Amino acid sequence: LPTLGVAGVYQASEAAAAAEPGYLAPPPDLAAFLQKRFLAGSPAMLQGMADALLSEPDRVADLAALAIPLLVLYGAADDAWPPAVQEDMATRLGVRSVVIQGAAHSPAVENPAETAAALLAFWQH
């Protein structure tokens, strides 16, 4: 981040994603939105997120102990948090998971109708 800046980090992350087997580029309008959203982030925010991802302890057990309604919802093709990791979290929480088809890391953007339906069903239950 200090060397490349926000735009350089975005370009590097896009190149890494494109190199993954099975990569499917998002439609142009979605790609433009995702780029705009990423580039709007401040370097300090991105650095803080990176630091947290590398140093935060696993708090799934603490969350499970709260005994509140929980749902694990994720895109079927999530390229940031592997689906197997999210399924494991749902199992450890003892809660249901919902896999949003046609979505990767941003299901609310990539498949808003299915995401909204799943969330409404969870909140109404």
Side-chain angles (χ1 to χ4, degrees), residues 1 4 9 30 35 41 68 78 101 106 124:
L1 182 60
L4 300 175
V9 169
L30 177 56
Q35 180 178 18
I68 58 173
D78 195 331
Q101 298 303 313
S106 299
Q124 291 171 346

PDB file of all heavy atoms in Angstrom, residues 1 4 9 30 35 41 68 78 101 106 124:
ATOM      1  N   LEU A   1       0.828  -1.199   0.000  1.00  0.00           N
ATOM      2  CA  LEU A   1       0.000   0.000   0.000  1.00  0.00           C
ATOM      3  C   LEU A   1       0.872   1.263   0.000  1.00  0.00           C
ATOM      4  O   LEU A   1       0.617   2.156  -0.805  1.00  0.00           O
ATOM      5  CB  LEU A   1      -0.975  -0.015   1.177  1.00  0.00           C
ATOM      6  CG  LEU A   1      -1.945   1.142   1.284  1.00  0.00           C
ATOM      7  CD1 LEU A   1      -2.846   1.237   0.058  1.00  0.00           C
ATOM      8  CD2 LEU A   1      -2.795   0.992   2.531  1.00  0.00           C
ATOM      9  N   LEU A   4       2.433   1.201  -3.690  1.00  0.00           N
ATOM     10  CA  LEU A   4       1.548   1.242  -4.856  1.00  0.00           C
ATOM     11  C   LEU A   4       0.399   2.237  -4.735  1.00  0.00           C
ATOM     12  O   LEU A   4      -0.179   2.626  -5.747  1.00  0.00           O
ATOM     13  CB  LEU A   4       0.953  -0.150  -5.097  1.00  0.00           C
ATOM     14  CG  LEU A   4       1.932  -1.280  -5.378  1.00  0.00           C
ATOM     15  CD1 LEU A   4       1.197  -2.614  -5.479  1.00  0.00           C
ATOM     16  CD2 LEU A   4       2.730  -0.995  -6.637  1.00  0.00           C
ATOM     17  N   VAL A   9      -2.885  -1.062  -5.444  1.00  0.00           N
ATOM     18  CA  VAL A   9      -3.366  -2.241  -4.719  1.00  0.00           C
ATOM     19  C   VAL A   9      -4.577  -2.821  -5.454  1.00  0.00           C
ATOM     20  O   VAL A   9      -4.693  -4.041  -5.608  1.00  0.00           O
ATOM     21  CB  VAL A   9      -3.707  -1.897  -3.259  1.00  0.00           C
ATOM     22  CG1 VAL A   9      -4.455  -3.036  -2.584  1.00  0.00           C
ATOM     23  CG2 VAL A   9      -2.439  -1.558  -2.487  1.00  0.00           C
ATOM     24  N   LEU A  30     -20.797  -3.716 -13.221  1.00  0.00           N
ATOM     25  CA  LEU A  30     -20.430  -4.152 -11.869  1.00  0.00           C
ATOM     26  C   LEU A  30     -18.942  -3.919 -11.631  1.00  0.00           C
ATOM     27  O   LEU A  30     -18.546  -3.445 -10.561  1.00  0.00           O
ATOM     28  CB  LEU A  30     -20.784  -5.627 -11.666  1.00  0.00           C
ATOM     29  CG  LEU A  30     -20.387  -6.227 -10.325  1.00  0.00           C
ATOM     30  CD1 LEU A  30     -20.988  -5.436  -9.161  1.00  0.00           C
ATOM     31  CD2 LEU A  30     -20.808  -7.681 -10.252  1.00  0.00           C
ATOM     32  N   GLN A  35     -14.714  -1.085  -8.743  1.00  0.00           N
ATOM     33  CA  GLN A  35     -13.497  -0.280  -8.805  1.00  0.00           C
ATOM     34  C   GLN A  35     -13.717   1.074  -8.123  1.00  0.00           C
ATOM     35  O   GLN A  35     -12.883   1.510  -7.329  1.00  0.00           O
ATOM     36  CB  GLN A  35     -13.055  -0.074 -10.254  1.00  0.00           C
ATOM     37  CG  GLN A  35     -11.792   0.760 -10.362  1.00  0.00           C
ATOM     38  CD  GLN A  35     -11.321   0.936 -11.787  1.00  0.00           C
ATOM     39  OE1 GLN A  35     -12.073   0.731 -12.737  1.00  0.00           O
ATOM     40  NE2 GLN A  35     -10.085   1.328 -11.952  1.00  0.00           N
ATOM     41  N   GLY A  41     -11.880   4.238  -1.024  1.00  0.00           N
ATOM     42  CA  GLY A  41     -11.346   3.968   0.320  1.00  0.00           C
ATOM     43  C   GLY A  41     -10.066   4.740   0.563  1.00  0.00           C
ATOM     44  O   GLY A  41      -9.255   4.955  -0.337  1.00  0.00           O
ATOM     45  N   ILE A  68     -27.736 -15.023  20.190  1.00  0.00           N
ATOM     46  CA  ILE A  68     -28.594 -14.128  19.418  1.00  0.00           C
ATOM     47  C   ILE A  68     -28.813 -14.743  18.040  1.00  0.00           C
ATOM     48  O   ILE A  68     -28.018 -15.580  17.603  1.00  0.00           O
ATOM     49  CB  ILE A  68     -27.975 -12.706  19.287  1.00  0.00           C
ATOM     50  CG1 ILE A  68     -26.590 -12.791  18.626  1.00  0.00           C
ATOM     51  CG2 ILE A  68     -27.875 -12.034  20.652  1.00  0.00           C
ATOM     52  CD1 ILE A  68     -25.968 -11.450  18.306  1.00  0.00           C
ATOM     53  N   ASP A  78     -17.322 -16.669  -3.615  1.00  0.00           N
ATOM     54  CA  ASP A  78     -16.553 -15.688  -2.837  1.00  0.00           C
ATOM     55  C   ASP A  78     -15.067 -15.941  -3.025  1.00  0.00           C
ATOM     56  O   ASP A  78     -14.582 -17.039  -2.771  1.00  0.00           O
ATOM     57  CB  ASP A  78     -16.923 -15.755  -1.353  1.00  0.00           C
ATOM     58  CG  ASP A  78     -16.433 -14.545  -0.578  1.00  0.00           C
ATOM     59  OD1 ASP A  78     -15.406 -13.949  -0.960  1.00  0.00           O
ATOM     60  OD2 ASP A  78     -17.088 -14.183   0.415  1.00  0.00           O
ATOM     61  N   GLN A 101     -26.215 -17.732  -5.020  1.00  0.00           N
ATOM     62  CA  GLN A 101     -25.720 -18.108  -6.342  1.00  0.00           C
ATOM     63  C   GLN A 101     -25.516 -16.846  -7.188  1.00  0.00           C
ATOM     64  O   GLN A 101     -26.192 -15.844  -7.001  1.00  0.00           O
ATOM     65  CB  GLN A 101     -26.702 -19.058  -7.027  1.00  0.00           C
ATOM     66  CG  GLN A 101     -26.893 -20.367  -6.290  1.00  0.00           C
ATOM     67  CD  GLN A 101     -25.589 -21.116  -6.082  1.00  0.00           C
ATOM     68  OE1 GLN A 101     -24.782 -21.263  -6.999  1.00  0.00           O
ATOM     69  NE2 GLN A 101     -25.377 -21.597  -4.863  1.00  0.00           N
ATOM     70  N   SER A 106     -19.426  -9.870  -2.855  1.00  0.00           N
ATOM     71  CA  SER A 106     -20.386  -8.798  -2.589  1.00  0.00           C
ATOM     72  C   SER A 106     -21.782  -9.212  -3.043  1.00  0.00           C
ATOM     73  O   SER A 106     -22.327  -8.661  -4.003  1.00  0.00           O
ATOM     74  CB  SER A 106     -19.956  -7.509  -3.308  1.00  0.00           C
ATOM     75  OG  SER A 106     -18.700  -7.076  -2.858  1.00  0.00           O
ATOM     76  N   GLN A 124     -37.553 -12.163   9.295  1.00  0.00           N
ATOM     77  CA  GLN A 124     -38.970 -12.408   9.576  1.00  0.00           C
ATOM     78  C   GLN A 124     -39.186 -13.678  10.378  1.00  0.00           C
ATOM     79  O   GLN A 124     -40.285 -13.901  10.876  1.00  0.00           O
ATOM     80  CB  GLN A 124     -39.750 -12.464   8.266  1.00  0.00           C
ATOM     81  CG  GLN A 124     -39.826 -11.112   7.585  1.00  0.00           C
ATOM     82  CD  GLN A 124     -40.410 -11.175   6.187  1.00  0.00           C
ATOM     83  OE1 GLN A 124     -40.545 -12.233   5.601  1.00  0.00           O
ATOM     84  NE2 GLN A 124     -40.749 -10.014   5.649  1.00  0.00           N
TER      85      GLN A 124
END
